[in-house]
């Protein structure tokens, strides 16, 4: 695996501002003096950002909230992912492998937002806390490792089993490095004032909003924006309206139905490794029968979903990995040994999805119609995601439609296959436990070398598709609403970034 040694030396500047966030019902952002910031301002103006998902776990770095923190430029890990999905330097400026089980990472000079230095001992402590978290962060699913400080600028990580993708794994948002102060109290560590990114959380208003200020000692240089006023706006139409009226500078996840209502100059698009899929409960209910799963798969017309629901902002489902995973199509393996579809004969099923992503209920309605046409009796259940996940994982639904970023947790294509489709997978919505699949995933996990690992991942994908545990529906694109005054928004296919040091408003 190639080691990258490039490093960026940031200026040591101290510039702190404190503007309180006061959201109003109309969705506008107002400064403490009552002056709206929507007219722009001097260089370093604050950014007003609308995010789709509120913090579900009090900004825990170990769960779904981890990506909120990375998108807002709060947290960082030892590594990041580059445009090709390879590990790139972040808090670690270089690394090398020392045998099958051990890696040594050399740290750059950096400062935590509480003013303390990023030291080997602090980094080792942060990663050790992550290994003890319950449940384990997704990036560490099935991985046992130990971390020790090594000299003045290094750490040594030892894994129980060989882990050729450890540098990619450490780029996962759930493995962000926080200062010792974050772990001072029992329970979930706090990223408020303890992270290393260019923006620091200074105020949290429940699940509705948060205030962030520019961190003056960021190792990568001073951010252009003096801070971020973030609101968590579940309703996609409200986010689009806020862009249209100028009440926000950036709004993520614009619903495709709303994209046509916005000026094209305010839309930014990017490919994403997110796939919308139909997960079938293979353990209980009608879809325990592989022939009924095959019938459901045969009933789905993904091209109709792309055209009708996504309005062209997606590609038809080809597999677990879509076009944004640039190497996937050339290495794709055709599934073999699939069951033949049986007659549904009115088999009753409960289909569930969530409304945090506004296109999903529409997708579910179309899928419901397609399954009914194939002879199933379909009951549709739609909830907010936080009220749905536990029931979905417990197998209380026969089918589940969700949008999953296949490279979000680790950047390693094998990671999502292990967590989502193996007997011991932590996010196994299909409740699949298939010996062929487990063997294929286990073989991929042991594989070293980028090309070889990609090939093994696609062989495992073929085994999963052959079991008809999942029906890929669409490979999505990111659609964000961005004011014409804003430059430097970061839309990456892994959906880990949104605002960075170069994100700014021009005046």
């Amino acid at each position: 695996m190639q080691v990258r040694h490039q490093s960026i030396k940031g200026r040591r500047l101290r510039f702190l501002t404190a503007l309180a966030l006061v959201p109003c019902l109309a969705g506008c952002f107002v400064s403490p003096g009552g002056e709206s910031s929507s007219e722009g301002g001097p260089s370093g103006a604050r950014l007003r950002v609308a995010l789709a998902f509120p913090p579900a776990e009090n900004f825990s770095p170990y769960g779904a909230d981890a990506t909120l923190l990375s998108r807002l430029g709060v947290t960082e890990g030892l590594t990041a992912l580059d445009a090709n999905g390879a590990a790139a330097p972040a808090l670690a400026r270089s690394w090398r492998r020392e045998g099958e089980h051990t890696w040594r990472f050399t740290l750059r000079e950096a400062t935590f937002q509480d003013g303390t230095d990023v030291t080997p001992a602090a980094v080792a402590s942060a990663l050790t806390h992550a290994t003890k978290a319950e449940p384990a962060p997704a990036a560490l699913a099935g991985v046992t490792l130990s971390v020790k400080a090594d000299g003045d600028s290094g750490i040594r990580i030892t894994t129980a089993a060989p882990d050729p993708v450890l540098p990619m794994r450490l780029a996962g948002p759930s493995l962000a490095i926080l200062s010792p102060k974050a772990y001072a109290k029992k329970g979930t560590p706090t990223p408020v004032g303890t992270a290393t990114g260019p923006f620091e959380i200074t105020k949290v208003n429940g699940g509705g909003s948060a205030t962030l200020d520019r961190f003056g000692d960021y190792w990568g240089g001073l951010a252009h924006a003096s801070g971020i006023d973030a609101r968590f706006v579940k309703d996609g139409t409200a986010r689009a309206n806020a862009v249209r009226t100028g009440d926000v500078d950036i709004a993520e996840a614009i619903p495709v139905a709303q994209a046509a209502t916005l000026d094209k100059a305010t839309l930014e698009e990017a490919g994403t490794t997110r796939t919308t899929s139909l997960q079938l409960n293979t353990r209980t209910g009608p879809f325990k029968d592989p022939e009924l799963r095959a019938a459901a798969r045969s009933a789905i017309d993904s091209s109709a979903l792309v055209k009708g629901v996504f309005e062209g902002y997606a590609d038809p489902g080809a597999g677990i990995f879509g076009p944004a995973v640039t190497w996937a199509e050339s290495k794709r393996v055709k599934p073999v040994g699939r069951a033949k579809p049986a007659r549904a004969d009115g088999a009753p099923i409960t289909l569930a999805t969530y409304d945090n992503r506004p296109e999903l209920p529409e997708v579910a309605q179309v899928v419901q119609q397609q399954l009914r046409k194939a002879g199933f009796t379909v009951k549709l259940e739609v909830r907010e995601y936080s009220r749905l996940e536990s029931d979905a994982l417990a197998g209380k639904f026969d089918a589940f439609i969700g949008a999953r970023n296949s490279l979000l947790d680790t950047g390693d294509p094998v990671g999502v296959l292990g967590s989502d489709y193996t007997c011991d997978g932590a996010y196994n919505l299909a409740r699949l436990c298939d010996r062929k699949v487990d063997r294929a995933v286990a073989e991929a996990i042991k594989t070293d070398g980028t090309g070889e690992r990609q090939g093994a991942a696609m062989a495992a994908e073929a085994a999963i598709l052959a079991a008809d545990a999942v029906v890929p529906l669409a490979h999505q694109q990111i659609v964000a609403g961005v004011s014409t005054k804003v430059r430097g928004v970061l839309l990456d296919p892994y959906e880990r970034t949104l605002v960075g040091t170069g994100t700014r408003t021009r005046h």
Side-chain angles (χ1 to χ4, degrees):
M1 184 170 292
Q2 184 180 4
V3 177
R4 301 171 183 265
H5 298 278
Q6 297 175 349
S7 109
I8 302 172
K9 291 294 183 182
R11 294 178 298 171
R12 297 286 180 176
L13 297 174
R14 173 63 64 182
F15 184 100
L16 293 177
T17 64
L19 292 177
L21 172 64
V22 185
C24 61
L25 293 177
C28 59
F29 290 78
V30 181
S31 65
E35 221 172 75
S36 172
S37 59
S38 64
E39 298 301 321
S43 179
R46 297 178 67 83
L47 294 167
R48 301 158 304 154
V49 179
L51 301 175
F53 287 83
E57 300 163 325
N58 198 29
F59 282 113
S60 167
Y62 298 145
D65 292 356
T67 54
L68 289 178
L69 296 169
S70 67
R71 285 175 192 159
L72 290 171
V74 176
T75 54
E76 302 172 300
L78 288 181
T79 60
L81 294 183
D82 66 16
N84 296 315
L91 288 176
R93 56 184 173 86
S94 65
W95 51 89
R96 67 174 183 266
R97 195 171 186 180
E98 300 178 338
E100 286 192 333
H101 296 267
T102 303
W103 295 76
R104 188 185 190 280
F105 292 79
T106 300
L107 307 179
R108 67 171 76 252
E109 281 190 26
T111 304
F112 288 112
Q113 292 165 353
D114 60 10
T116 60
D117 290 335
V118 176
T119 64
V123 172
S125 175
L127 290 176
T128 299
H129 275 93
T131 65
K132 297 178 180 179
E134 294 183 3
L140 292 181
V143 176
T144 301
L145 58 81
S146 60
V147 191
K148 292 184 178 180
D150 184 46
D152 294 334
S153 62
I155 64 164
R156 186 167 271 109
I157 301 179
T158 302
T159 58
D163 190 3
V165 296
L166 182 65
M168 295 169 63
R169 188 182 305 282
L170 293 174
S174 60
L175 298 184
I177 303 300
L178 304 178
S179 75
K181 181 180 177 181
Y183 311 95
K185 296 180 180 180
K186 289 185 178 181
T188 303
T190 175
V192 177
T194 63
T196 61
F199 295 101
E200 174 185 0
I201 297 175
T202 57
K203 185 177 181 182
V204 177
N205 300 308
S209 61
T211 303
L212 298 84
D213 288 338
R214 176 167 55 192
F215 175 44
D217 277 342
Y218 179 55
W219 63 265
L222 198 66
H224 283 269
S226 60
I228 301 170
D229 295 329
R231 282 188 68 197
F232 306 103
V233 183
K234 171 185 167 183
D235 186 87
T237 301
R239 291 195 301 278
N241 286 338
V243 174
R244 185 182 301 107
T245 59
D247 287 332
V248 300
D249 300 307
I250 305 167
E252 69 169 1
I254 296 296
V256 293
Q258 294 295 318
T261 69
L262 294 178
D263 189 317
K264 287 186 177 181
T266 64
L267 290 177
E268 291 198 17
E269 307 163 32
T272 171
T273 55
R274 182 173 296 278
T275 296
T276 295
S277 298
L278 173 67
Q279 307 281 348
L280 302 178
N281 185 342
T282 62
R283 196 171 302 178
T284 58
F287 290 131
K288 184 177 181 180
D289 182 348
E291 293 185 349
L292 284 180
R293 296 201 299 272
R297 182 246 307 159
S298 299
I300 300 301
D301 178 4
S302 62
S303 61
L305 289 168
V306 168
K307 183 179 179 181
V309 177
F310 292 97
E311 299 183 21
Y313 289 100
D315 295 287
I320 296 170
F321 306 104
V325 184
T326 54
W327 48 263
E329 191 58 38
S330 64
K331 296 177 181 288
R332 203 174 305 278
V333 179
K334 185 177 180 180
V336 295
R338 276 176 157 165
K340 293 183 178 180
R343 290 174 59 89
D345 289 334
I349 59 173
T350 299
L351 170 65
T353 193
Y354 48 97
D355 56 7
N356 301 77
R357 295 188 177 276
E359 71 277 2
L360 293 186
E362 294 183 55
V363 169
Q365 290 174 3
V366 175
V367 169
Q368 180 186 39
Q369 294 169 3
Q370 292 179 349
L371 292 175
R372 281 176 172 172
K373 188 176 180 180
F376 291 94
T377 301
V378 187
K379 176 186 175 183
L380 180 59
E381 189 162 334
V382 179
R383 301 184 204 163
E384 198 272 336
Y385 182 80
S386 64
R387 298 183 175 184
L388 191 73
E389 183 186 65
S390 59
D391 283 349
L393 289 170
K396 293 186 178 181
F397 308 117
D398 301 304
F400 181 88
I401 292 175
R404 180 84 156 113
N405 192 317
S406 60
L407 299 183
L408 176 65
D409 296 328
T410 64
D412 173 30
V414 180
V416 72
L417 304 182
S419 66
D420 291 18
Y421 299 106
T422 60
C423 295
D424 296 326
Y427 197 66
N428 191 345
L429 294 169
R431 310 188 82 210
L432 180 65
C433 191
D434 184 293
R435 290 183 179 179
K436 292 181 180 179
V437 170
D438 274 24
R439 281 198 299 267
V441 173
E443 185 63 33
I445 289 172
K446 294 185 296 182
T447 304
D448 204 346
T450 302
E452 292 82 356
R453 194 172 183 86
Q454 291 170 351
M458 298 312 289
E461 180 200 62
I464 294 164
L465 295 177
D468 283 325
V470 56
V471 182
L473 301 175
H475 305 294
Q476 295 174 239
Q477 296 177 13
I478 301 171
V479 183
V482 181
S483 165
T484 56
K485 296 179 180 179
V486 172
R487 297 290 182 270
V489 172
L490 305 175
L491 299 181
D492 74 296
Y494 319 109
E495 300 181 62
R496 297 179 175 190
T497 61
L498 182 66
V499 178
T501 55
T503 312
R504 62 198 183 279
T505 58
R506 63 183 179 88
H507 53 89

